[in-house]
Amino acid sequence: MRVLVTGAAGFVGSWLVRDLVGDGHSVFAAGQAGHAFPAGREGAEWVEMDVTSADSVAEAVGRAAPEAVFHLAGQASVGDSFHDPLGTWDVNATGTLRIAAALPKGARLLLVSSAEAYGAVPEAEQPIGEDRPLRPCNPYAASKAAAEMAALQAGESGRVEVVVARSFNHTGPGQDARFALASFARQLALIRAGGAEPVLHVGNLSARRDLLDVRDVVRAYVRLMESGAPGRIYNVCSGVARSMQEAVDELVEISGTRARLEVDPERVRPVDLPLLLGDNARLRGLGWEPRIPFRETLADLLEWQAGRLDTRTPAAA
């Protein structure tokens, strides 16, 4: 099958491209000009695409002529969305509409959305099911909710098939150190290598999150592309909530560093969503289930960060 993956140079996209190539698909990996094609993803064809340009999208889609599109490209930072809400909207919401409008008739589109779109949900009403009304509470979440509406409306036309993956938090090897667990793993790897004092700088660790391994996420996306019902939304999550404190404690134990935790005021942010826990029954109904234990995820993340250390740089990410 001819497959187009947008955001292919990103954390999840690079894993997805590798798996699709391994499964024998003809894969076109799309990303912005200047982004390096991920190493180890040979067998895919690189296609430049800027989702903020209708001409760029049309050119890339025309070249790939895809039967299936995994749309992962987007502005993924909640923090950055506050600084540039219009830019975030153009990439995530209008960009999705540009993709949907450019697709050939009969193509199938998997839109990767975010559980952030649910907003603040009372703990007594969690785990969260897909039928819960969306009440986004930041510009990023609003842009992803709008992207869903744009894609699903395009699907209503009958010209394309649209499935929405509403993804909860995920981590694992390959994640950028701008994100919390990857940042902690990088610091611990540097401490273990003797490049820093045994102090792990953290922020607010009280939040509880539904965390899934990136490789299980990729398997979920493939399953949704194969078997998801058109017009339907699926939570992609583990169904288990862990506090960031628990995750950090386990990561420290795995590292063997006995690093002590020190709260860095620069890292402390208000926790607007104390708990974010999903119900994955709908996805499990398609035969998917998580396979990778959380401890293995953390260990692989730590080793991946260790393999990319530059001990001349400071530990804090």
Side-chain angles (χ1 to χ4, degrees):
M1 182 166 62
R2 293 176 68 88
V3 178
L4 174 66
V5 178
T6 74
F11 171 43
V12 183
S14 60
W15 279 104
L16 178 59
V17 167
R18 189 190 72 166
D19 282 13
L20 291 170
V21 168
D23 287 342
H25 296 290
S26 178
V27 180
F28 293 81
Q32 288 184 301
H35 284 196
F37 190 72
R41 306 303 184 259
E42 294 79 6
E45 182 174 342
W46 181 254
V47 180
E48 287 187 6
M49 176 191 286
D50 177 359
V51 297
T52 66
S53 164
D55 289 342
S56 175
V57 169
E59 183 177 351
V61 170
R63 178 175 165 187
E67 300 165 79
V69 177
F70 292 84
H71 182 35
L72 280 67
Q75 195 293 95
S77 169
V78 172
D80 288 351
S81 76
F82 283 103
H83 299 299
D84 186 13
L86 290 178
T88 297
W89 188 277
D90 192 30
V91 171
N92 292 348
T94 311
T96 295
L97 187 56
R98 292 185 186 102
I99 294 286
L103 294 184
K105 184 176 181 180
R108 189 168 167 90
L109 170 66
L110 178 74
L111 170 66
V112 175
S113 184
S114 170
E116 283 277 344
Y118 288 120
V121 178
E123 291 195 21
E125 299 174 26
Q126 299 196 45
I128 306 167
E130 291 91 345
D131 294 329
R132 181 161 191 100
L134 302 184
R135 291 189 171 87
C137 56
N138 59 65
Y140 165 76
S143 73
K144 297 303 280 189
E148 290 187 19
M149 297 303 103
L152 290 169
Q153 184 277 321
E156 287 295 319
S157 70
R159 191 178 61 81
V160 294
E161 289 187 355
V162 175
V163 179
V164 174
R166 198 174 280 157
S167 297
F168 285 65
N169 296 74
H170 40 274
T171 188
Q175 188 172 39
D176 192 286
R178 292 175 301 162
F179 295 87
L181 285 176
S183 170
F184 302 148
R186 181 178 181 275
Q187 291 183 64
L188 289 168
L190 193 58
I191 292 168
R192 191 175 65 179
E197 294 297 316
V199 178
L200 178 62
H201 300 278
V202 300
N204 190 332
L205 300 180
S206 64
R208 287 175 289 159
R209 291 291 181 263
D210 187 321
L211 292 159
L212 196 60
D213 189 287
V214 62
R215 292 158 291 189
D216 281 331
V217 170
V218 164
R219 290 193 307 103
Y221 292 169
V222 172
R223 180 58 56 90
L224 289 175
M225 181 62 80
E226 294 171 345
S227 307
R232 202 156 173 80
I233 297 164
Y234 296 84
N235 285 338
V236 178
C237 57
S238 69
V240 176
R242 295 178 173 85
S243 74
M244 292 301 290
Q245 181 72 60
E246 293 171 30
V248 167
D249 288 346
E250 188 161 5
L251 196 52
V252 170
E253 180 190 336
I254 292 169
S255 73
T257 61
R258 298 185 179 180
R260 63 180 176 86
L261 307 189
E262 185 173 292
V263 175
D264 178 355
E266 293 295 319
R267 293 171 178 265
V268 175
R269 300 179 179 88
V271 178
D272 54 351
L273 302 177
L275 172 66
L276 192 59
L277 173 63
D279 180 349
N280 61 15
R282 188 176 288 182
L283 178 57
R284 282 181 178 270
L286 300 180
W288 173 92
E289 63 180 7
R291 291 179 181 172
I292 301 176
F294 188 60
R295 188 176 180 86
E296 181 178 335
T297 299
L298 293 178
D300 289 351
L301 174 60
L302 177 64
E303 294 310 314
W304 189 86
Q305 290 291 342
R308 283 147 186 82
L309 280 183
D310 180 350
T311 54
R312 296 169 296 177
T313 61

